[in-house]
Amino acid sequence: MTKTNLSLDAERLWADIMRLAEITDPARPWTRRSFTALFLEGRAWLAKRFAEAGLVTRIDTAGNLIGRLEGLNPALGVIAIGSHSDSVPSGGRFDGMAGLATGLEIVRSLRDAGIRPQHTIEVVDFLAEEPSEYGLACIGSRGMGGALDARMLDLTEPGGEKLRDALRRVGGDPDRLAEAKRDDVSAYLELHIEQGIVLESRALDVGIVTTIVGVRRIEIIFQGEADHAGTTPMALRHDALVAAAHTVAAVRGVAEQLAAEGADYFVATVGILNVEPSASNIVPGRCRLIIDARSTAPALIQRFTETIDRESQAHAAAARVTRASFTIVSDGPPVACDENLRSALRQGARDLGLGETDLPSGAGHDAVYMSRICPSAMVFVPCRAGKSHTPEEWAHRDAIAAGAEVIFQALRELDQTLR
Amino acid sequence: MTKTNLSLDAERLWADIMRLAEITDPARPWTRRSFTALFLEGRAWLAKRFAEAGLVTRIDTAGNLIGRLEGLNPALGVIAIGSHSDSVPSGGRFDGMAGLATGLEIVRSLRDAGIRPQHTIEVVDFLAEEPSEYGLACIGSRGMGGALDARMLDLTEPGGEKLRDALRRVGGDPDRLAEAKRDDVSAYLELHIEQGIVLESRALDVGIVTTIVGVRRIEIIFQGEADHAGTTPMALRHDALVAAAHTVAAVRGVAEQLAAEGADYFVATVGILNVEPSASNIVPGRCRLIIDARSTAPALIQRFTETIDRESQAHAAAARVTRASFTIVSDGPPVACDENLRSALRQGARDLGLGETDLPSGAGHDAVYMSRICPSAMVFVPCRAGKSHTPEEWAHRDAIAAGAEVIFQALRELDQTLR
């Protein structure tokens, strides 16, 4: 395969994104949660599109949907292009799908031009990149990267199903997970919407990702006493929500402080807060909250954790409740993207006359786990007002096409140079 | 009917309480939520017990289950004894049922002794005394007191059913609600567990309720923006939970202050806090909380409301979110119990050689709405550690029997004197 003036079909790429978006929970677009019937419907459609593009399609034991185009020189290994087709509840149409459609359009364009690459190309729809009902994100890429362990397979969703059984239900095989781990991938490339406002605000076409933030999730449980809200005097209460509320305020305060230091990127969020028993006339007896802390600097995440550990303990004592749990439920360090791939992507953007910049990713991605088994890199494209994980999420057709062209350009370069 | 040495059967009274308790959601005892299949199962059992006691049983148009023993002199009107058979989620076995079993045991004892009262006696199981899924408490007693209006009938539970239809489902008739309002009741008496620690800590047998606190419920909704928790810098967030958390802290702080003033009883609670979309990696876009404020003094509830109105507005501004709603969803003023009935109850306790005291009720009760149509009064019996609305709720067999004897004694006195 040589570099030519080959170009992708922007309209065909866009049509795939719009078509998959229609497979949504109609009550709350755009929702296609991993492991649901809708998710499987989306995948059936994707598998059909993969096959139409001439790809040999399969589901690996970690539940990833893979379309494969055999290369001329199998010894060179695989260049994988991927992302994910699942969404958060009431999410967007682009997060995940833009990257999948990019991979699909690239292999279609190669086929239309009658070009057979040296490397085998795989388009991968990673299973459950978004936090799933089982309390775990990036399930498929963890599997491919060899980071999905038996403890994780025992995670259970609120309805009682274990991840192990859910994985079987979507075509994976929890008993043969080791087979999903790959040692034949030479490079992983992913296009994604930025989910931030840097590219839009600077009117740039693409971002070449330098580092993907580390993400630590902490679960805190406060245990108080569920007393009658009318007859329990203020001085005798053990109100779990009071401790939780002060902790939410502390998370915000500490995060603002660490972000303001400016040297490294830092954000922290309480996105889940459950109150039990949740009745207007009962003092909350138990509260559970999940903190999501992210940074390009592990030291900041550690400082944050220690401060919130102390503060939540103090707020529990002040509310006369027990801090029943302070648990780091998941912890991924920051991951640097591969310099060689970044340079191919940068060159691709320059050859195409596009405005590009280096930037960190505040969001986790499947590339985090792929980087455990192969050089990995990402291209960001601008999205309107930085909005993501919300129905208003939007990226322009031409913006996605430009990013996809950068990956296409880099792929053709890497197909020649990558050994 | 004359006063005699008649005594109730404490064991039979206790057995009824224990037997109804068994009709519970097995996954979370003791739960028998109004309008559920379990609730109807409990009522079917109660209706059978009513009939066995010789009561003529019916359900009125407000959904109250009523057992009636016709008096010798119908012109004297009805003496009603009642409470409720529904529970909060994971509630207790005594809140409500102790009062129903008291009424039932009193009519059984009269029948066993071959005594026919002058007044007609009704035992009433009021519909949905606890806050229901429709966002309303005391549904049946509101109906009997003429305080259930068309707006309330349009309230909808999360599954989409209107209260109007639910009422029909349990045997009421929303189109003929006016028929439930009574003008023939001469007195209403209710036994209830104290749900507080005054009686236990002072080793007293019964409390004669002076005033039932006023209860105001306020709904606050904060509307922010559901952004990506990884890519939205702290300075650009519109986090609805941050405003809600500061408001929860304010409710606690202001309530502690008002309670500490000491002249009047005051408590306030946030028992419900919903976060949307509730995902660990999404900044909360919307939060709804319900505040429950109670006092014997309307002025304190008003001061509290005004302070929280100001503070929640300020917390919304600080978090850069909108306070989309600050709504008083229900508002009941404090209600004084009838002096004549209280004096009969006090005399009854003294005749029985029991230790008694006057005390306010921090909990709302059906007596609040009954007092709109007739003189009403309540007797409290001690419960262990003041615990209520929790599975550990406990009252001794003899403590309940003593309170029931006080009502029985007063009933026989009032049957002679009440015109």
Side-chain angles (χ1 to χ4, degrees):
Chain A
M1 181 164 75
T2 52
K3 286 170 76 175
T4 65
N5 285 333
L6 258 185
S7 181
L8 303 175
D9 183 337
E11 195 49 60
R12 194 164 57 174
L13 196 173
W14 179 255
D16 278 346
I17 297 173
M18 290 298 111
R19 177 63 192 83
L20 187 64
E22 286 166 21
I23 303 175
T24 175
D25 178 348
R28 43 177 195 170
W30 311 93
T31 302
R32 194 170 49 252
R33 298 286 288 151
S34 54
F35 299 102
T36 62
L38 276 172
F39 173 73
L40 293 173
E41 188 184 333
R43 275 205 154 175
W45 178 82
L46 265 179
K48 197 164 133 277
R49 292 299 274 168
F50 279 13
E52 287 165 5
L55 299 173
V56 176
T57 297
R58 68 190 177 95
I59 290 176
D60 72 6
T61 59
N64 299 304
L65 173 68
I66 302 174
R68 181 175 172 108
L69 172 69
E70 214 62 47
L72 291 171
N73 187 349
L76 293 176
V78 170
I79 298 178
I81 310 174
S83 201
H84 60 95
S85 66
D86 67 314
S87 80
V88 297
S90 298
R93 287 163 283 185
F94 304 91
D95 177 355
M97 190 52 203
L100 283 180
T102 294
L104 186 54
E105 179 53 27
I106 284 174
V107 294
R108 274 192 304 233
S109 296
L110 289 173
R111 195 190 53 168
D112 291 355
I115 296 176
R116 184 86 178 275
Q118 296 295 315
H119 291 74
T120 295
I121 312 288
E122 287 190 5
V123 183
V124 185
D125 173 25
F126 290 106
L127 178 66
E129 191 268 351
E130 302 291 357
S132 65
E133 300 296 320
Y134 305 83
L136 193 70
C138 294
I139 293 172
S141 53
R142 282 176 203 261
M144 196 175 282
L148 189 62
D149 63 34
R151 189 184 56 83
M152 294 171 184
L153 292 176
D154 282 332
L155 288 167
T156 304
E157 50 86 50
E161 187 185 42
K162 280 195 193 304
L163 175 55
R164 174 186 309 284
D165 299 316
L167 188 54
R168 210 170 268 124
R169 198 157 53 65
V170 300
D173 185 344
D175 302 327
R176 295 190 297 132
L177 257 192
E179 296 172 25
K181 185 178 177 186
R182 301 285 290 271
D183 58 7
D184 60 337
V185 184
S186 306
Y188 174 67
L189 297 171
E190 177 171 356
L191 174 139
H192 206 282
I193 57 168
E194 181 195 348
Q195 312 183 283
I197 57 166
V198 174
L199 297 176
E200 185 182 71
S201 63
R202 294 174 54 192
L204 293 169
D205 299 300
V206 290
I208 315 293
V209 176
T210 53
T211 305
I212 301 170
V213 290
V215 184
R216 177 172 287 182
R217 293 228 168 85
I218 303 169
E219 178 188 61
I220 305 183
I221 297 172
F222 295 105
Q223 181 69 51
E225 290 185 32
D227 291 322
H228 192 292
T231 60
T232 313
M234 299 313 294
L236 298 181
R237 294 180 172 216
H238 307 277
D239 187 330
L241 179 55
V242 168
H246 283 285
T247 302
V248 169
V251 166
R252 171 65 164 229
V254 175
E256 280 177 342
Q257 217 175 304
L258 293 177
E261 292 183 2
D264 295 286
Y265 187 77
F266 187 88
V267 289
T269 309
V270 179
I272 293 179
L273 194 166
N274 306 130
V275 181
E276 288 174 35
S278 193
S280 57
N281 64 347
I282 310 182
V283 176
R286 190 181 171 89
C287 274
R288 170 181 170 269
L289 54 91
I290 303 285
I291 302 170
D292 174 299
R294 306 184 185 215
S295 180
T296 46
L300 283 195
I301 293 184
Q302 193 49 32
R303 273 172 60 199
F304 172 82
T305 305
E306 286 160 12
T307 310
I308 296 302
D309 185 6
R310 273 196 313 277
E311 293 219 7
S312 59
Q313 194 71 268
H315 292 310
R320 292 182 299 273
V321 304
T322 305
R323 201 191 64 182
S325 170
F326 182 93
T327 311
I328 295 173
V329 287
S330 70
D331 197 19
V335 167
C337 287
D338 181 72
E339 186 49 55
N340 181 40
L341 299 190
R342 284 172 56 200
S343 132
L345 290 166
R346 193 179 302 114
Q347 193 55 52
R350 288 178 184 169
D351 289 350
L352 291 159
L354 298 171
E356 48 81 25
T357 186
D358 283 352
L359 85 181
S361 169
H365 292 287
D366 291 309
V368 166
Y369 293 97
M370 289 304 284
S371 73
R372 298 168 69 117
I373 54 162
C374 67
S376 300
M378 294 187 74
V379 168
F380 278 175
V381 296
C383 58
R384 191 164 63 197
K387 295 277 173 212
S388 184
H389 285 191
T390 159
E392 299 91 57
E393 181 183 282
W394 184 258
H396 285 287
R397 191 194 79 146
D398 294 347
I400 296 171
E405 292 282 7
V406 170
I407 297 216
F408 194 24
Q409 196 82 2
L411 175 90
R412 284 178 284 162
E413 171 67 23
L414 292 166
D415 190 42
Q416 303 302 316
T417 58
L418 211 59
R419 286 291 168 266
Chain B
M1 181 166 72
T2 53
K3 284 170 80 174
T4 65
N5 285 332
L6 256 185
S7 181
L8 303 175
D9 183 337
E11 194 49 61
R12 193 165 55 176
L13 196 171
W14 179 256
D16 278 346
I17 297 174
M18 289 299 110
R19 177 62 192 84
L20 186 64
E22 287 167 21
I23 303 174
T24 175
D25 178 347
R28 43 176 195 171
W30 311 92
T31 302
R32 194 169 50 253
R33 298 286 289 152
S34 54
F35 300 102
T36 62
L38 275 172
F39 174 74
L40 293 173
E41 187 184 334
R43 275 204 153 177
W45 178 83
L46 266 178
K48 196 164 134 279
R49 292 297 276 167
F50 280 12
E52 286 164 6
L55 298 173
V56 176
T57 297
R58 67 191 177 94
I59 290 175
D60 72 4
T61 59
N64 299 303
L65 173 68
I66 303 174
R68 182 176 172 106
L69 172 69
E70 213 65 45
L72 292 171
N73 186 351
L76 292 176
V78 170
I79 298 179
I81 311 174
S83 201
H84 60 94
S85 66
D86 66 314
S87 80
V88 297
S90 298
R93 287 163 284 184
F94 303 91
D95 177 355
M97 189 54 202
L100 284 180
T102 294
L104 185 54
E105 180 53 28
I106 285 173
V107 295
R108 273 190 306 232
S109 297
L110 290 173
R111 195 192 50 170
D112 291 354
I115 297 176
R116 184 84 179 276
Q118 296 294 314
H119 290 75
T120 294
I121 312 289
E122 287 190 3
V123 183
V124 187
D125 174 24
F126 290 106
L127 178 66
E129 192 267 354
E130 303 291 358
S132 65
E133 300 296 320
Y134 305 83
L136 192 71
C138 295
I139 293 172
S141 53
R142 283 177 202 261
M144 196 175 281
L148 189 62
D149 62 33
R151 188 185 56 84
M152 294 171 184
L153 292 176
D154 283 332
L155 288 167
T156 303
E157 49 87 49
E161 188 186 40
K162 279 194 194 302
L163 175 55
R164 174 186 309 282
D165 299 315
L167 188 53
R168 212 171 266 124
R169 199 157 53 64
V170 300
D173 185 344
D175 301 327
R176 295 190 297 131
L177 258 192
E179 296 172 25
K181 186 178 178 186
R182 302 285 289 272
D183 57 8
D184 60 338
V185 185
S186 306
Y188 174 67
L189 296 171
E190 178 170 356
L191 174 138
H192 206 282
I193 56 168
E194 182 196 347
Q195 311 183 281
I197 56 165
V198 174
L199 297 176
E200 185 182 68
S201 63
R202 294 174 56 193
L204 294 168
D205 299 300
V206 291
I208 315 292
V209 175
T210 52
T211 305
I212 301 171
V213 290
V215 184
R216 177 173 286 181
R217 294 229 167 85
I218 303 168
E219 178 187 63
I220 305 183
I221 296 172
F222 294 104
Q223 181 68 51
E225 289 185 31
D227 290 323
H228 192 292
T231 59
T232 313
M234 298 313 294
L236 298 181
R237 293 177 173 219
H238 307 277
D239 187 331
L241 179 55
V242 168
H246 283 286
T247 301
V248 168
V251 166
R252 171 67 165 227
V254 175
E256 280 176 343
Q257 217 174 304
L258 293 177
E261 291 183 3
D264 295 286
Y265 187 78
F266 187 88
V267 288
T269 310
V270 179
I272 293 178
L273 194 166
N274 306 129
V275 181
E276 288 175 35
S278 193
S280 57
N281 64 349
I282 309 181
V283 176
R286 189 180 170 90
C287 274
R288 169 181 172 269
L289 55 91
I290 303 286
I291 302 170
D292 174 299
R294 305 182 186 216
S295 181
T296 46
L300 282 196
I301 293 184
Q302 192 50 32
R303 273 172 61 200
F304 172 81
T305 305
E306 286 161 11
T307 310
I308 295 303
D309 184 6
R310 273 197 312 277
E311 293 218 9
S312 60
Q313 194 70 268
H315 293 310
R320 291 182 299 272
V321 305
T322 305
R323 200 190 64 182
S325 170
F326 182 94
T327 311
I328 295 174
V329 287
S330 70
D331 198 18
V335 167
C337 288
D338 180 72
E339 186 49 54
N340 181 41
L341 300 190
R342 282 173 57 199
S343 133
L345 290 166
R346 193 180 301 113
Q347 193 54 52
R350 287 177 186 170
D351 289 350
L352 291 159
L354 298 172
E356 47 82 23
T357 186
D358 283 353
L359 85 182
S361 169
H365 291 288
D366 291 309
V368 166
Y369 294 97
M370 289 305 284
S371 73
R372 298 168 69 119
I373 54 162
C374 66
S376 300
M378 294 186 75
V379 168
F380 277 174
V381 296
C383 58
R384 191 163 65 199
K387 294 277 172 209
S388 184
H389 285 191
T390 159
E392 299 91 57
E393 180 183 283
W394 183 258
H396 286 287
R397 193 194 77 144
D398 294 347
I400 295 171
E405 292 282 7
V406 170
I407 297 215
F408 193 25
Q409 197 81 1
L411 175 90
R412 283 177 285 161
E413 170 68 22
L414 292 166
D415 190 42
Q416 302 302 316
T417 58
L418 211 59
R419 288 289 170 270

